[in-house]
Amino acid sequence: MEVDDGIVVLRLEGVGVEVCDDGHVTVVDDGLADHLVASLRGQLLVAGRRRLLRRDTCGNCGEDLALPPRTTETPVVDDDGPTVVTLVPVAPMVRCSACGREQYVAAVADRLEALVPRAVTAVAAGMPGPSGTSG
């Protein structure tokens, strides 16, 4: 299932669902959205933000990020639940020129976290995501 907000795309793969005799789809893990948000936070490096200068800083070493961002896919695998779920965010990332770490630009973190419950809801609804795409 794929959902987007116009800038960030999130694809969910491997979500366990149950279908009743009437065709209703239910996600197997009730707390899946919260669990996936925590997994996303734990596995992805996100740049910091200097408010006055309006610049992103490296989430690893703290240096200013000077290189231009580019849209990248970075799969996050969550295998702690009843099924193995893969989240594939497609969002702007930047490499720190000082330490070399790849990270999402600061503005992306909240957008990604907001898309997780939408994607899980779309899977449970058994229909295309809010953007009109399906996976």
Side-chain angles (χ1 to χ4, degrees):
M1 181 60 58
E2 186 175 286
V3 294
D4 70 74
D5 70 355
I7 295 175
V8 177
V9 176
L10 180 66
R11 194 167 59 243
L12 281 182
E13 300 169 355
V15 176
V17 295
E18 294 176 345
V19 181
C20 75
D21 293 338
D22 294 329
H24 300 110
V25 179
T26 306
V27 175
V28 173
D29 184 357
D30 288 340
L32 182 63
D34 292 335
H35 184 74
L36 292 178
V37 167
S39 186
L40 200 60
R41 284 183 192 147
Q43 293 187 42
L44 297 179
L45 182 62
V46 178
R49 174 66 103 183
R50 288 200 177 139
R51 290 184 183 200
L52 294 177
L53 300 176
R54 295 186 181 198
R55 286 189 195 156
D56 284 357
T57 58
C58 179
N60 185 51
C61 71
E63 292 293 318
D64 283 345
L65 295 173
L67 298 174
R70 66 195 181 294
T71 300
T72 308
E73 284 189 24
T74 306
V76 173
V77 177
D78 178 73
D79 57 2
D80 290 337
T83 59
V84 176
V85 178
T86 303
L87 295 96
V88 184
V90 181
M93 291 187 83
V94 65
R95 179 183 298 272
C96 177
S97 57
C99 71
R101 291 288 304 268
E102 288 274 343
Q103 56 209 287
Y104 286 101
V105 297
V108 167
D110 291 339
R111 289 174 174 268
L112 278 173
E113 289 180 14
L115 285 177
V116 171
R118 284 179 47 194
V120 172
T121 300
V123 168
M127 64 172 124
S131 67
T133 59
S134 63

